[in-house]
Amino acid sequence: MKMSKSKLTIAGAALLTALMLPAASGAQNANSRGDASRQPVQYGADSGEYTPDGFSLRGRAEVTQGGNRLRADAIRGFTSNGDLNRIEASGGVYFVTPDQSMKGDRAVYTLNDGNVVVTGDVILTQGKSVLTGSRLVYNVRTETARIEGGGANGRVQGVFYPQGN
C-alpha cells in the first residue's frame, strides 16, 4: 500500500499524539498529589447560588482541588477581587485526601495558607490508624496534620498501626 506524503505525516502526527496522551494524563494525576493548592477548585451541589462575595452550596455540597475533596451539607465560598480565598463547610463535614480522611462538624479552608481547620467531633483516619480530637489543622501544601484535644476528657486519643499491617 502506497501512502502520500501528506497522509503519512497526518498518520505519524496522530500516532505521536496517541502515544503522548497517557503521559500527559499521568502528569496531571501526579500533580494532583503533593501541592493540591496549585490545582483549580471545582464545586457542585444539589442547589446553589452566586453572591456578590462568592457562592453558597446546599445539599450534597462538594468542593474538589487536585486529589482533595471537601463534602458537607452546606458550603460557602468567599471571594475577594474575583479570587476565591476561603471556603466554609458545615454539617456532616468530610475532608478526604489521597491518604487521609477527616470527619467533623465544621471546616474552614483558607486558600492563602493552605490550611483546612476541621472542628467538632473530629476523626482522622489514615489506613487503619485513627486519631480523635476536637480540632484538626491539615495543610494541603505540606500534607501535614495537627490534632488537638477534645471530647469528655479533653484528650487526643488514637490507635496507630505500622505500615503494611
Side-chain angles (χ1 to χ4, degrees):
M1 179 166 108
K2 191 171 184 182
M3 293 182 94
S4 71
K5 188 174 181 180
S6 63
K7 285 184 181 177
L8 188 58
T9 302
I10 292 170
L15 178 61
L16 182 60
T17 301
L19 290 173
M20 290 174 60
L21 285 177
S25 174
Q28 283 180 325
N29 291 340
N31 286 338
S32 67
R33 290 274 299 153
D35 190 356
S37 68
R38 297 183 186 271
Q39 300 296 315
V41 174
Q42 300 174 338
Y43 54 89
D46 290 334
S47 65
E49 62 184 324
Y50 288 103
T51 62
D53 66 343
F55 59 86
S56 179
L57 308 170
R58 289 174 301 285
R60 294 187 300 175
E62 184 172 271
V63 173
T64 60
Q65 185 180 35
N68 299 335
R69 183 177 73 231
L70 176 63
R71 241 183 13 193
D73 295 334
I75 295 177
R76 280 224 38 198
F78 296 90
T79 59
S80 176
N81 298 323
D83 290 329
L84 183 62
N85 55 34
R86 190 174 81 242
I87 298 171
E88 296 181 1
S90 60
V93 172
Y94 288 90
F95 183 72
V96 180
T97 74
D99 297 320
Q100 292 116 353
S101 176
M102 296 150 237
K103 180 185 179 303
D105 300 322
R106 181 171 160 74
V108 176
Y109 175 25
T110 309
L111 281 76
N112 294 338
D113 62 11
N115 284 332
V116 178
V117 179
V118 182
T119 56
D121 292 325
V122 177
I123 301 171
L124 167 66
T125 59
Q126 181 174 351
K128 292 181 182 179
S129 301
V130 178
L131 273 175
T132 61
S134 63
R135 184 175 188 269
L136 174 132
V137 179
Y138 177 82
N139 189 281
V140 299
R141 295 180 184 146
T142 62
E143 298 181 348
T144 57
R146 182 180 74 243
I147 194 162
E148 297 171 1
N153 59 11
R155 296 172 43 114
V156 171
Q157 297 180 335
V159 176
F160 283 100
Y161 290 90
Q163 294 290 336
N165 286 344

